[in-house]
Amino acid sequence: MKKILTKLTENKSVFIFDFDGVIVDSMIAKGNSFANIFNANKNDKKKILKYHLINGSKSRIDKIKYIAEKILNLDNIINKLFIKRKVNEFKKNYYENINSIKLIDGIDLFLKYIYNNNCKIYIVSAAPKFEISYFLKKFNLISFIHNVYDSKLTKLDSMNIIIKENNIIKEQCIYFGDSFSDWDLCYNLKIDFCSVLSNDKSGLDKKKSFIKINDFK
């Protein structure tokens, strides 16, 4: 944990976290589920996994649309009913393997530490709230979390609500994410960003303008 408790975090009062790949190590499991609901062959599965890992912050609806249109060329059958059916299939497939999902190493102790130091902790994620709540309850983390903002709002809207709600300057916030879109969001908002490199396809390891961690130990 010492590697995170640097000058970048010691003066923060609001800590904001993405969820998949930052709190739970779920990115590969979700990628496999996207491939499974389309019965993808080996080559298409690689493309689906790569797209999913690079675009971690996109909603599952957007990912399903992209996979169907751009990877599998299913333009002629895509409509609202098709998307709804695939979203439900994704949820079912992912939940069949949900017990195998683990926490990112050390995140539980880190959340406890910053909570005990009177900091507010938020989750801003493209995952649905019921799914986030399931894991927070399973791993006994829910008491540490001040609020959860899910796919019903854009991440930008969620971040602005948090900043306004706490009446703080942006220098008091830090966001932990695992995708370029997370970094881009923080860059535009002028909020400090910490990359969690649980996803080796994100490309964030090549950037030099923010701190990087593999886990929270």
Side-chain angles (χ1 to χ4, degrees), residues 41-156:
N41 60 39
K42 187 176 181 179
N43 187 51
D44 286 337
K45 183 174 182 178
K46 286 182 180 179
K47 293 178 183 178
I48 291 169
L49 283 171
K50 182 179 180 181
Y51 167 75
H52 163 68
L53 292 173
I54 292 173
N55 296 277
S57 289
K58 289 186 179 295
S59 72
R60 59 193 56 176
I61 291 175
D62 289 340
K63 288 179 182 178
I64 287 169
K65 286 180 179 177
Y66 183 93
I67 291 166
E69 291 176 1
K70 306 299 184 181
I71 297 178
L72 302 177
N73 299 312
L74 300 175
D75 308 56
N76 58 321
I77 63 171
I78 298 172
N79 53 41
K80 289 184 179 180
L81 182 60
F82 174 87
I83 297 298
K84 183 178 180 180
R85 186 171 71 249
K86 287 300 178 186
V87 168
N88 289 333
E89 288 176 14
F90 173 86
K91 178 181 174 182
K92 181 180 178 182
N93 189 276
Y94 178 57
Y95 266 60
E96 286 174 354
N97 302 292
I98 204 166
N99 289 329
S100 66
I101 306 299
K102 308 296 183 185
L103 288 175
I104 297 294
D105 286 344
I107 185 63
D108 49 344
L109 296 178
F110 185 60
L111 291 176
K112 183 177 181 180
Y113 175 86
I114 55 179
Y115 176 82
N116 287 338
N117 278 272
N118 299 314
C119 298
K120 284 188 177 180
I121 302 169
Y122 293 87
I123 292 172
V124 173
S125 172
K129 195 168 186 176
F130 70 84
E131 191 175 286
I132 296 169
S133 296
Y134 170 85
F135 283 111
L136 293 178
K137 290 174 183 176
K138 176 182 177 180
F139 294 115
N140 298 313
L141 302 177
I142 199 162
S143 62
F144 302 142
I145 310 301
H146 185 73
N147 208 346
V148 173
Y149 293 89
D150 68 353
S151 54
K152 291 180 180 178
L153 291 174
T154 67
K155 285 192 172 184
L156 176 61

